[in-house]
């Protein structure tokens, strides 16, 4: 499918303060759109970033038949831009699509649209090491209809926003509070999909954690409220001595690509990497008896987020010395270097344009 291009006449780049970027507030000059109707994706185009018009009965507004991805592009000294793992994001958006009765997007269309957009807005990819262009592909129902059923029409869009390295000096450690009576996802639910509604449902427990002074929610499983699943909108890892453990994908955990990168690198570095159930008692005990050396969240936004403190019920524990551990720092440095072209990309994670 050919992509129609309609460029902005003047760029908004001059208004951007690249030294003070706030996450997700300014958007680059262009966006990608394709529409689904009559059983096919069509009219793929890159156009100026602009508001949408929709009827009040737009189905997404009422029933959240909507999915998204989060990915990044990084500037390399050669002048090329690394788009990180685009094939894997194309595959994952289609897994989310299946679960939400949204028509699949041909991975070729996904990548062509993505590359065309990033190429046109390549000056928006920040040049400072650690900074990046955050990319948000999303698909949503567009039928004007209030009866509950899958929509017949959809839009697939990609927008981008330049983001700053989260950290000035070293990785800051975050604190977690376990989700108590609330859950992010249940067995048979939509936890494995990047579905919009999952995130709305996570806000109230997050607000409770933040009221108690914690940064993020530590999500426990929906059945026994005992096994660790994720933290905030990140996957989670625990290093018990030389074993690196992450919860196994049981259907309610999002299959993070950063999670996959971390498992791959840690195995290459000689760690024993296990995907298995992690009872919260094992974590609390490990923190107290010193076998839990470090814990960290993983996700495209922050890459690696060390966990310094965990509260579960009435108990509060410190992980390691409460600051970023040695493996967290090594993983962060390695992943940054691969993305920015500082070391060889032996896994073929970067698509260079
Ligand atoms: C996106 C996301 C992740 C992390 O996935 P990455 O591919 O590493 O960015 C983890 N958990 C949830 C709930 C997510 O939405």
């Amino acid at each position: 499918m050919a992509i129609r291009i309609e460029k902005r006449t003047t760029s908004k780049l001059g208004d951007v303060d690249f030294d003070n970027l706030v996450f997700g507030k300014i958007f680059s000059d262009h966006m990608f759109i394709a529409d689904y109707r009559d059983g096919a994706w069509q009219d793929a185009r890159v156009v100026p970033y602009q508001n949408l018009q929709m009827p009040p009965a737009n189905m997404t507004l009422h029933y959240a038949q909507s999915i998204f991805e989060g990915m990044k592009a990084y500037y390399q000294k050669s002048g090329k831009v690394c788009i990180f793992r685009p094939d894997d994001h194309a595959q994952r958006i289609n897994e989310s699509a299946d679960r939400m009765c949204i028509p699949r997007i041909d991975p070729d269309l996904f990548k062509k649209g993505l590359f065309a957009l990033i190429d046109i807005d390549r000056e928006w990819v920040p040049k400072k090491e650690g900074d990046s262009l955050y990319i948000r592909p999303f698909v949503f129902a567009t039928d004007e209809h209030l009866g509950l059923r899958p929509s017949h029409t959809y839009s697939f869009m990609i927008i981008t926003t330049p983001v700053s390295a989260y950290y000035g000096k070293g990785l800051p450690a975050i604190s977690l509070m376990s989700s108590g009576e609330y859950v992010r996802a249940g067995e048979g639910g939509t936890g494995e999909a990047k579905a919009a509604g999952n995130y709305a449902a996570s806000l109230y427990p997050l607000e409770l954690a933040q009221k108690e002074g914690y940064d993020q929610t530590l999500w426990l499983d929906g059945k026994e409220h005992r096994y660790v699943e994720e933290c905030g909108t990140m996957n989670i890892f625990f290093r018990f001595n030389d074993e690196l453990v992450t919860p196994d994908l049981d259907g309610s955990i999002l299959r993070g690509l950063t999670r996959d990168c971390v498992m791959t690198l840690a195995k290459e570095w000689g760690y024993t990497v296990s995907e298995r159930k992690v009872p919260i008692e094992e974590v609390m005990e490990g923190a107290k008896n010193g076998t839990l050396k470090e814990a960290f969240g993983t996700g495209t936004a922050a890459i690696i987020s060390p966990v310094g403190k965990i509260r579960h019920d009435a108990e509060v524990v410190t992980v390691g010395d409460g600051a970023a551990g040695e493996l967290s720092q090594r993983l962060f440095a390695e992943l940054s270097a691969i993305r920015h072209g500082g070391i060889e990309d032996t896994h073929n994670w970067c698509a260079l344009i």
Side-chain angles (χ1 to χ4, degrees):
M1 188 186 317
I3 295 175
R4 180 164 63 82
I5 308 271
E6 181 197 326
K7 281 197 174 183
R8 263 182 78 99
T9 43
T10 54
S11 174
K12 299 179 290 183
L13 261 177
D15 306 335
V16 182
D17 178 1
F18 276 92
D19 291 323
N20 292 292
L21 295 169
V22 181
F23 182 83
K25 279 205 93 158
I26 48 164
F27 297 92
S28 54
D29 285 330
H30 298 90
M31 62 189 196
F32 172 81
I33 319 185
D35 298 316
Y36 184 89
R37 60 176 178 273
D38 307 324
W41 287 105
Q42 45 197 284
D43 198 15
R45 59 211 190 266
V46 171
V47 296
Y49 180 89
Q50 60 195 271
N51 289 346
L52 305 175
Q53 274 209 329
M54 59 175 71
N58 168 291
M59 287 189 79
T60 299
L61 298 179
H62 301 272
Y63 306 128
Q65 197 193 4
S66 175
I67 54 174
F68 67 94
E69 272 302 314
M71 48 194 300
K72 279 181 171 176
Y74 299 81
Y75 182 78
Q76 301 199 339
K77 283 195 191 71
S78 63
K80 292 234 152 117
V81 168
C82 154
I83 301 179
F84 201 66
R85 303 190 68 165
D87 295 290
D88 297 302
H89 284 284
Q91 187 187 326
R92 190 169 69 184
I93 205 170
N94 280 322
E95 288 166 8
S96 299
D98 288 348
R99 180 64 181 82
M100 304 308 287
C101 293
I102 290 173
R104 286 186 155 239
I105 296 160
D106 182 344
D108 267 357
L109 172 64
F110 181 94
K111 284 207 303 185
K112 260 195 200 154
L114 174 66
F115 289 18
L117 177 67
I118 303 303
D119 189 37
I120 284 181
D121 281 342
R122 61 192 304 132
E123 291 306 315
W124 285 82
V125 181
K127 296 197 168 56
K128 255 194 286 175
E129 173 103 24
D131 292 2
S132 57
L133 189 68
Y134 182 83
I135 305 167
R136 171 53 61 86
F138 56 113
V139 191
F140 58 99
T142 54
D143 273 11
E144 181 179 20
H145 189 85
L146 284 187
L148 182 62
R149 55 150 173 81
S151 181
H152 300 143
T153 61
Y154 298 85
S155 287
F156 164 40
M157 307 188 51
I158 308 176
I159 57 176
T160 71
T161 172
V163 295
S164 188
Y166 275 58
Y167 325 113
K169 21 184 168 45
L171 293 178
I174 58 167
S175 57
L176 305 177
M177 184 171 114
S178 67
S179 46
E181 64 188 288
Y182 298 99
V183 297
R184 190 192 84 85
E187 204 174 292
T190 57
E192 205 169 38
K194 255 179 138 62
N198 290 348
Y199 303 84
S202 75
L203 293 174
Y204 183 66
L206 174 60
E207 212 171 72
L208 295 181
Q210 290 178 338
K211 268 195 197 132
E212 296 290 320
Y214 290 79
D215 297 312
Q216 288 292 345
T217 312
L218 178 64
W219 299 108
L220 302 182
D221 76 285
K223 210 177 203 172
E224 295 182 53
H225 297 224
R226 175 172 179 219
Y227 298 102
V228 174
E229 298 211 317
E230 303 202 48
C231 63
T233 57
M234 292 183 284
N235 295 114
I236 191 161
F237 284 82
F238 300 96
R239 179 163 76 84
F240 296 102
N241 294 319
D242 286 336
E243 186 197 15
L244 185 64
V245 184
T246 192
D248 55 331
L249 301 176
D250 61 353
S252 55
I253 291 173
L254 199 287
R255 193 173 54 81
L257 292 170
T258 318
R259 176 184 183 276
D260 180 71
C261 291
V262 163
M263 290 197 299
T264 303
L265 292 174
K267 274 181 208 161
E268 289 172 7
W269 294 344
Y271 288 91
T272 304
V273 178
S274 321
E275 293 177 79
R276 62 167 171 85
K277 296 242 169 299
V278 187
I280 183 70
E281 306 88 72
E282 182 185 359
V283 173
M284 301 302 277
E285 270 315 304
K288 282 186 281 183
N289 67 24
T291 51
L292 178 61
K293 302 299 183 196
E294 51 189 305
F296 53 88
T298 65
T300 293
I303 312 299
I304 305 286
S305 262
V307 174
K309 189 166 92 168
I310 300 174
R311 171 165 151 191
H312 173 61
D313 294 339
E315 194 168 35
V316 181
V317 294
T318 301
V319 181
D321 60 4
E326 124 205 351
L327 179 61
S328 310
Q329 297 184 52
R330 185 176 175 197
L331 284 163
F332 184 78
E334 183 86 1
L335 284 168
S336 301
I338 294 171
R339 289 159 204 236
H340 286 287
I343 56 174
E344 200 192 334
D345 172 24
T346 54
H347 309 91
N348 271 320
W349 285 335
C350 289
L352 297 179
I353 64 161

